[in-house]
């Protein structure tokens, strides 16, 4: 299995506090049958983490995983917060995809469903990106109207739950 949404990079976000905790998270993942992990710290509007920073931290953690004999492959990614200007931010590499692929892990706010959500997703799709909504079940507007998920899926959006 592949875990496409983790906060495993030490000292990067609200996930692993240090290297030992990150290694512990990886051990649990391997025990659960996970062979590949995508590190997805928050990136994009309001976050200072850069693609280069994430790439360096992924390489350092992969080295530690290998030295510890933990059989998991780590990939760089990001959990990108929705923004009206997201397509341009991706073009400028201020927000980025999973492992330089065409897949973008998109986070919606928990308390609202922005009016521009479909517009942003459409702009990303016409640029050839496959949008994956991170934990849609946490969004209160989706909780109130689960048909929002069905509409998004109908338009080719994937869901990570």
């Amino acid at each position: 299995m592949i875990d496409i949404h983790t906060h495993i990079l030490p000292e990067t976000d609200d996930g692993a506090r240090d290297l030992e905790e990150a290694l512990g998270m990886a051990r649990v993942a391997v025990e659960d049958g996970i062979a590949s992990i995508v590190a997805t710290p928050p990136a994009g509007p309001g976050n200072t983490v850069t693609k280069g920073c994430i790439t360096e931290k992924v390489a350092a953690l992969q080295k530690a995983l290998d030295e510890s004999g933990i059989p998991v492959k780590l990939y760089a990614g990001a959990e990108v917060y929705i923004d009206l200007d997201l397509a341009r931010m991706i073009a400028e590499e201020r927000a980025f995809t999973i492992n330089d692929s065409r897949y973008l892990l998109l986070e919606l706010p928990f308390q609202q469903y922005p009016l521009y959500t479909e517009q942003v997703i459409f702009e990303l799709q016409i640029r050839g990106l496959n949008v994956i909504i991170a934990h849609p079940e946490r969004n209160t507007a989706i909780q109130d109207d689960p048909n929002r998920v069905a509409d998004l899926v109908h338009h080719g959006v994937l869901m990570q739950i």
Side-chain angles (χ1 to χ4, degrees):
M1 279 192 296
I2 302 170
D3 187 340
I4 67 163
H5 183 185
T6 66
H7 296 275
I8 194 169
L9 294 180
E11 302 172 17
T12 304
D13 55 27
D14 61 351
R17 290 176 294 233
D18 55 32
L19 178 60
E20 286 309 310
E21 189 169 1
L23 294 174
M25 290 169 68
R27 285 185 189 97
V28 170
V30 169
E31 289 171 9
D32 287 344
I34 293 173
S36 299
I37 295 174
V38 182
T40 54
N47 291 299
T48 58
V49 68
T50 65
K51 184 176 182 179
C53 173
I54 292 172
T55 302
E56 288 174 17
K57 288 186 176 218
V58 164
L61 181 53
Q62 184 65 65
K63 182 179 181 204
L65 291 165
D66 295 343
E67 289 172 352
S68 298
I70 301 171
V72 69
K73 177 70 175 142
L74 195 61
Y75 296 94
E79 180 180 21
V80 180
Y81 197 77
I82 192 165
D83 186 271
L84 194 53
D85 206 24
L86 188 54
R88 185 173 61 80
M89 294 171 67
I90 289 171
E92 296 172 355
E93 292 193 351
R94 292 187 295 132
F96 37 92
T97 60
I98 294 172
N99 198 40
D100 289 324
S101 70
R102 306 305 299 164
Y103 290 88
L104 178 96
L105 185 62
L106 182 68
E107 181 175 27
L108 300 175
F110 292 158
Q111 301 300 321
Q112 64 175 328
Y113 189 86
L115 295 175
Y116 52 83
T117 299
E118 286 86 5
Q119 175 187 343
V120 169
I121 290 171
F122 178 71
E123 289 173 3
L124 296 171
Q125 289 175 323
I126 62 173
R127 286 171 173 73
L129 295 175
N130 299 302
V131 177
I132 305 167
I133 302 293
H135 42 67
E137 72 281 1
R138 292 184 182 177
N139 179 279
T140 56
I142 289 175
Q143 292 171 10
D144 292 341
D145 182 7
N147 287 323
R148 290 180 190 267
V149 168
D151 292 341
L152 290 170
V153 169
H154 178 74
H155 288 98
V157 178
L158 301 172
M159 300 292 148
Q160 178 268 315
I161 53 173

